Amino acid sequence: MSHKLSEVQIKNFKSCINTELKLSGYTPLIGYNNAGKSNALTAIQWLLKKTSLGLDDFFDRASPVEVIGVIEGISQDLLGQMNANHRSSIENYITDEKLKIRRVQLTPNAKAAEIRISVWSDTEQDWVPNPNGIDNALKSILPEPIRIGAMENAAEDASKAKSTTTIGKLLAEFLEPVRAAHEVELAGHLGEVSRRISSDGDMRFGELAVIDQNVNRRIDDLFPGMSLKLHFETPTFDELIKSGSIKVYENQNQGRDFSSYGHGAQRSIQMALVQYLAEVKRGAGGQLTTTLLLIDEPELYLHPFAVEQIRQALLALSQNGYQVVLSTHSAQMVTSDQAKYSLLIRKNTQRGTYARVRLADAIQALVPDSVHQMEQLFSLSHSTQVLFAEQVALTEGKTELRLLPFIFETASGRTLGQEKLALVAQSGVSDTRKSLDILDAMDLPAKAIVDLDYAFTRAINDGYLQDTDPDINALKIILQRLEQQGAITLHTNGLPKKGVVKPSKAFELLANEQDAVIHIENLHNRLKAQGIWVWTKGAIEAHIGTASKDELAWSQFKASVDSDGLEATCPQHQTLIDLVSWLRV
């Protein structure tokens, strides 16, 4: 894609009080129902397609609606391909290959002529209202968007299929080869029709002449000297295309109107047209325009395999002359590659609809060029959780990932999904601080759950504890005692290493020492206050009473809790209850 709409600011439009969006070639808008995703799509459409907004479109009816957009990638090569008049309308307002435009409507139900577009001038440091020819110049690089809404009006849209409807626009997009091959031939046929039914046709049907004569005798009695001829306008090629519709056939039976089918079939056919459009456009290249494709919930009514196919078709379009912006509730519409550019759309009373900081922007700001961090946090399985959550819990091991959802529901009576809480497994505790900082930059509340050894190593490196911490020093003395007893093996830095037992077992033995309990509790409480939960018995396994980390042990634990309850199964059941309560705060 040579150019695209990269930034949009929406002011006073419905729930978008002051909404800022950063757009890529393929931008999923992810959010719960009524967050304002569709409002954002409509505002983007309005920026490029002038229509009069009504009372309900204004958040504050005493203030104007204003939408500002930045078009980037307007290179000298692109300008050179434009019509000279179009180029002259915009080239003086382009800075660093960017053009900033603004559309404003001052009052509800204003006349179309009163809805003005302007461009930003760096020279004047102000908006220049409606430069000569700006609308046509913009249409030459960003034509009227194609909007595919949710299914409320799908039947009407599909059956009419006029130029303003989804189907009509899609048909117009890929029927250009038909025009190229047959426009002259069809024009000849239409000319023959015109000769027979138009008022001036030289081969008019005799029956039309008879009707004309009979009517004119009556007119002559009332208005002498006046006459009429019946006239039937012959459509042009463009008008034929615009009036195209769709008939659906099953088992060679007579075709039925699209509207007679259910929403699932309607959506499938609608998306099939999108898929075909992607095939037509793939590899076409050399296009001057970038067309915005704005879609509400493309996954609606489709089965999982079809959702994946639609996602791939939209991705293909985003690389071949289209910029795709969609609202979605489906993680299948977002791969790990797109997760970092997805927009988390939220709404509250104070801010209205707003977008949280994108993953890509948060990562780049905090850990620039960190490929590992991006892969760690936002692989597909992780993005599925993170992008659809209101809060995140980072975990260290597989046991937490497998059992905490079960423990959470058992202790609270609610699922993680009901609490809008995502559970994300880290590859290691070394990611903890960076992960928490990234999620904080996204305004996404997050906490971490770690093993006891974190307090002795990464917590100090990450700045949560001091290397002179008195509790750490006291616990190191106890570790030395355990080594002297032959129970564990220590590094020269005083921390456990593989030897008599594994380091994880060494920390578990430490936690069982009576004089260590108070110091571990102190560390636990200090880190908990900073959003990090430390297992005071070493790791989760010691709290739930499992000796291994495998499917058999996890299944046995769940079966025991189901039959005997959490308190009877877990040696440290109160710790688990406390953890669940902490996660829910």
Side-chain angles (χ1 to χ4, degrees), residues 252-421:
Q252 305 302 315
N253 293 331
Q254 184 175 356
R256 294 166 56 192
D257 285 339
F258 184 93
S259 58
S260 66
Y261 286 83
H263 286 328
Q266 291 177 15
R267 193 60 157 182
S268 296
I269 293 170
Q270 205 175 45
M271 290 298 104
L273 292 176
V274 172
Q275 284 184 280
Y276 179 62
L277 180 61
E279 293 177 14
V280 171
K281 296 296 182 179
R282 186 181 284 110
Q287 298 185 90
L288 175 64
T289 62
T290 294
T291 302
L292 270 164
L293 189 54
L294 308 172
I295 311 182
D296 284 291
E297 301 179 46
E299 75 276 5
L300 203 60
Y301 303 112
L302 300 181
H303 61 77
F305 290 145
V307 173
E308 184 172 336
Q309 291 169 359
I310 289 302
R311 183 195 69 219
Q312 292 307 112
L314 293 174
L315 284 170
L317 286 172
S318 72
Q319 298 164 7
N320 292 282
Y322 291 80
Q323 181 177 5
V324 179
V325 185
L326 60 104
S327 69
T328 184
H329 294 283
S330 173
Q332 281 188 280
M333 293 302 301
V334 186
T335 69
S336 56
D337 288 336
Q338 288 82 51
K340 53 185 174 289
Y341 299 116
S342 299
L343 292 177
L344 308 185
I345 305 298
R346 300 294 184 262
K347 185 174 75 171
N348 61 35
T349 304
Q350 293 74 33
R351 299 180 63 181
T353 295
Y354 67 97
R356 286 178 167 160
V357 174
R358 295 186 304 179
L359 310 182
D361 299 326
I363 291 171
Q364 189 62 30
L366 293 168
V367 278
D369 304 317
S370 176
V371 175
H372 162 71
Q373 186 67 10
M374 197 171 294
E375 292 175 347
Q376 156 59 28
L377 262 183
F378 308 115
S379 65
L380 181 58
S381 60
H382 293 172
S383 69
T384 301
Q385 294 278 328
V386 171
L387 296 178
F388 292 84
E390 288 290 347
Q391 52 184 329
V392 176
L394 302 168
T395 66
E396 183 177 344
K398 293 181 180 179
T399 302
E400 284 96 336
L401 195 64
R402 293 300 302 274
L403 294 185
L404 276 183
F406 172 76
I407 293 170
F408 188 96
E409 185 173 1
T410 301
S412 69
R414 292 175 62 82
T415 66
L416 290 173
Q418 287 174 312
E419 293 287 310
K420 299 177 181 176
L421 174 63

Side-chain angles (χ1 to χ4, degrees), residues 97-112:
E97 298 190 349
K98 294 180 180 180
L99 176 69
K100 184 185 289 188
I101 62 175
R102 179 181 70 169
R103 191 179 294 281
V104 176
Q105 182 172 327
L106 298 178
T107 58
N109 301 313
K111 295 179 180 179

Side-chain angles (χ1 to χ4, degrees), residues 415-462:
T415 66
L416 290 173
Q418 287 174 312
E419 293 287 310
K420 299 177 181 176
L421 174 63
L423 196 63
V424 176
Q426 301 188 91
S427 60
V429 291
S430 60
D431 291 324
T432 301
R433 181 61 189 250
K434 288 182 290 187
S435 301
L436 289 173
D437 286 347
I438 288 170
L439 293 168
D440 179 65
M442 294 172 61
D443 189 29
L444 192 55
K447 296 176 179 178
I449 303 168
V450 298
D451 292 346
L452 179 58
D453 64 337
Y454 177 82
F456 291 80
T457 53
R458 296 304 310 182
I460 295 172
N461 293 338
D462 290 343

